[in-house]
Amino acid sequence: MSSVGQFEFILLLLVAILGLRLLAGRLGLPPAAALIIGGMGLAFVPGVPAFDLDPDLVLVLFLPPLLMDGAYYTVWREFRRNLAAILQLAIGAVLFTTLAVGIVTHLLVPDLPWAVCFALGAVVSPPDAVAAKAVLEHVTLPRRLVVLLEGESLLNDAAGLVLFRFAIAAALTGAFSLGQATLAFTGLAVGGVIVGGVLGYLWIRGLRRLKHEHLTITAIFMLPWAAYILGEAAGVSGVIATVAAGLVLGWHQHEVFTASVRLMGTAAWQVMVFVLEALVFILIGLSLRGVMSRLGGVEHALGTLAVPVLAVLGTVVVSRFLWVFAAEGVGQILGLLVKRRPLWSPASALLLSWAGMRGVVTLAVALSIPTEVPGRDLILAAAFAVILGTVLIQGSSLGPLIRWLGLDKSAGHQGAVLTAPQAMAAVAAAQLEAVRARAHNGDGSVRHPRLLEQYTHRARVAERYSKERDVLSADRSEHYDVILATIAAGRTEVLRLHRTGRIHDDVLHVLEYELDLQEMAASTSRMRLG
């Protein structure tokens, strides 16, 4: 296919994505499931060119920005509070699933070397960040479950990739050392945190010096790929480096980004992430024809690989159930021993067990297996089956399962001291103080009576309705310098409430968005008058 043909094919995929997303909404399907099914259908349409995913390109193109998107919006306080439980899923569950799949595979295919069996386990063990995000954004869950699932999806790819590299190396060389593997994994993880954290800090310092919105937004978009590529080049985990850089950027963006950068950058970023996520899933479906051709056709694949592939899929699902219930049960017992209130329920454990969708990383890693590795056909077939089974079955049933378990009724922002209306009342009070400090002349006469009246009324209304609904009015006046000063005071108060733990990150984003809109309106009007 020519370069022009490739470009036209990408445009065709974008049109298909729009149609499939609309169809998914009508049928009540998760978009990820609809896109994979649509991609599979397109793969066998006459005239559609054969499509093969380049695994290295897939990882470096799609994974960094999608990881950054999750890390950027991660609530650091909750992530740190639940870090032990996140690591149990991100490392413990991945390792347990790898071992379980390896053992089951060797029992069914005894001629396959142990290292290859465990390589297959490493391929299918980590739930995918892209798949998890695509499903979670369409369901409502208690906050702790969201934190656990999102935190797991940010870190488990690193565990799965490291396990895969050691298994493949053992399969090719016949040598493996548990101590060396453990030490190497620790070095990769710690090194990734250091590289990503330092790069994120330096990036923030550089962003402070950029005064042009488009340059700043471009630099922000470059960070995920810079962190991933630098981490891999430094010999550490590029996944962890990207996550660490995203956490740093997400924490400091409230102080560094201007209102225009945040509004324009967020809109552009969300469009880019939407397109990348959709392309990932439709490309997974399109790759089916190439996978089937490598396996010698559908009939050959079903006749020779159906039993071990279905066994691998079942083991992936069951092993997650066993690990989650065992880990949560131990946590419950320890919580009772130290007289702490348990943070889990059987319904929560069931939901965590079922929410283990696989996606782009599993397929990309499977495709990267060298052709000389024995059992490569089995690994490819199992990887594709696990992706289809988990996304289509688990992803599609996740919403009904949440409603059946009643978890959507208990969803909320646990631990937040102030609601959004209460926090807005505090912001309005801070803005009023800023107006009062500037509303009088030296002789005590009122210099800005309308502003004083406006913000006094706003503070009074916000206080009165703080327990009922969010009330925020934005008026225009000719005194834009004073208005911008009140907005700055409001930002200071919002950040103070957030940094002291009195409001949740979701409340912070709501209030910050309101202040950004006010600042953009005031700045534009001031420039127009000037």
Side-chain angles (χ1 to χ4, degrees):
M1 184 186 298
S2 66
S3 299
V4 175
Q6 292 176 354
F7 176 70
E8 292 173 345
F9 184 60
I10 293 174
L11 292 179
L12 175 64
L13 291 183
L14 293 177
V15 173
I17 286 170
L18 297 178
L20 290 170
R21 285 297 298 259
L22 292 174
L23 182 63
R26 296 239 177 171
L27 299 178
L29 289 174
L35 290 167
I36 289 181
I37 294 174
M40 292 169 58
L42 284 175
F44 295 98
V45 171
V48 173
F51 189 86
D52 289 323
L53 288 175
D54 183 336
D56 295 329
L57 178 61
V58 167
L59 289 179
V60 75
L61 175 61
F62 292 103
L63 193 57
L66 299 178
L67 284 172
M68 177 70 69
D69 184 64
Y72 180 83
Y73 290 106
T74 294
V75 182
W76 170 245
R77 191 175 291 108
E78 294 181 349
F79 181 84
R80 184 178 56 191
R81 185 187 307 130
N82 294 281
L83 183 59
I86 290 172
L87 292 178
Q88 285 180 1
L89 292 170
I91 298 178
V94 168
L95 181 59
F96 181 74
T97 302
T98 299
L99 294 174
V101 170
I103 292 172
V104 169
T105 303
H106 193 72
L107 290 175
L108 293 174
V109 191
D111 294 336
L112 206 61
W114 276 105
V116 175
C117 296
F118 289 131
L120 170 57
V123 168
V124 299
S125 60
D128 189 63
V130 183
K133 183 178 182 297
V135 173
L136 288 176
E137 66 183 7
H138 296 281
V139 299
T140 303
L141 283 174
R143 187 65 204 175
R144 180 174 182 266
L145 290 179
V146 174
V147 172
L148 292 181
L149 290 171
E150 290 182 344
E152 175 197 14
S153 69
L154 291 175
L155 301 179
N156 58 15
D157 286 338
L161 288 171
V162 171
L163 288 173
F164 171 76
R165 290 173 182 173
F166 280 106
I168 289 296
L172 294 175
T173 65
F176 176 77
S177 170
L178 179 61
Q180 182 181 0
T182 304
L183 183 62
F185 176 79
T186 303
L188 289 171
V190 174
V193 171
I194 294 174
V195 170
V198 171
L199 182 63
Y201 172 75
L202 294 176
W203 220 264
I204 288 292
R205 290 184 63 102
L207 291 175
R208 293 180 188 272
R209 299 177 179 273
L210 294 177
K211 304 301 181 183
H212 193 280
E213 289 91 346
H214 294 165
L215 295 179
T216 302
I217 294 171
T218 302
I220 295 169
F221 278 37
M222 291 169 58
L223 178 57
W225 285 288
Y228 184 86
I229 293 172
L230 181 61
E232 292 294 314
V236 300
S237 172
V239 170
I240 299 295
T242 306
V243 171
L247 290 173
V248 172
L249 182 67
W251 178 259
H252 289 286
Q253 57 101 359
H254 311 288
E255 304 153 359
V256 175
F257 297 169
T258 63
S260 58
V261 165
R262 189 162 23 249
L263 290 174
M264 291 190 297
T266 299
W269 180 267
Q270 289 175 345
V271 171
M272 182 188 73
V273 168
F274 164 77
V275 172
L276 290 178
E277 284 181 350
L279 282 175
V280 163
F281 289 110
I282 201 167
L283 291 177
I284 287 176
L286 278 171
S287 66
L288 173 63
R289 189 164 68 181
V291 172
M292 288 296 102
S293 66
R294 291 185 182 92
L295 299 176
V298 177
E299 294 183 0
H300 177 266
L302 291 177
T304 59
L305 302 175
V307 173
V309 164
L310 291 176
V312 168
L313 176 58
T315 304
V316 166
V317 175
V318 172
S319 62
R320 184 172 175 89
F321 271 85
L322 294 176
W323 177 266
V324 169
F325 273 88
E328 293 287 346
V330 171
Q332 171 108 342
I333 294 173
L334 293 177
L336 293 174
L337 292 178
V338 297
K339 297 182 179 181
R340 291 180 57 189
R341 182 181 178 182
L343 295 175
W344 82 293
S345 66
S348 298
L350 179 61
L351 194 280
L352 282 175
S353 302
W354 192 243
M357 292 72 65
R358 272 63 173 178
V360 60
V361 173
T362 292
L363 185 59
V365 172
L367 291 172
S368 69
I369 296 176
T371 55
E372 63 268 25
V373 173
R376 186 175 186 270
D377 289 349
L378 172 60
I379 295 177
L380 283 174
F384 207 92
V386 168
I387 293 172
L388 291 181
T390 55
V391 173
L392 299 184
I393 298 174
Q394 293 181 317
S396 300
S397 60
L398 203 58
L401 179 63
I402 291 171
R403 291 189 291 273
W404 180 69
L405 295 173
L407 292 173
D408 55 336
K409 300 177 182 178
S410 61
H413 305 307
Q414 297 96 351
V417 178
L418 299 180
T419 63
Q422 291 170 338
M424 183 51 69
V427 171
Q431 291 181 318
L432 176 58
E433 289 303 316
V435 172
R436 285 174 175 169
R438 296 167 174 82
H440 296 83
N441 293 313
D443 58 0
S445 61
V446 179
R447 183 180 181 182
H448 301 293
R450 189 177 174 210
L451 284 177
L452 185 59
E453 178 185 359
Q454 173 187 339
Y455 281 92
T456 300
H457 173 73
R458 179 179 297 179
R460 188 183 302 117
V461 169
E463 176 64 26
R464 183 174 34 156
Y465 289 98
S466 63
K467 296 183 180 180
E468 299 178 17
R469 63 180 183 270
D470 191 8
V471 176
L472 182 64
S473 62
D475 296 328
R476 298 176 57 187
S477 74
E478 61 181 3
H479 308 291
Y480 297 113
D481 288 334
V482 180
I483 292 177
L484 291 173
T486 66
I487 294 171
R491 288 191 191 281
T492 302
E493 179 66 10
V494 167
L495 280 179
R496 186 189 69 80
L497 293 173
H498 177 257
R499 297 309 193 231
T500 56
R502 299 195 65 197
I503 60 174
H504 190 272
D505 281 51
D506 290 345
V507 176
L508 167 67
H509 292 310
V510 169
L511 302 182
E512 192 171 54
Y513 180 71
E514 296 284 353
L515 291 172
D516 286 343
L517 292 178
Q518 292 182 46
E519 182 177 333
M520 287 291 292
S523 298
T524 301
S525 298
R526 183 176 63 175
M527 288 188 296
R528 186 167 58 244
L529 290 176

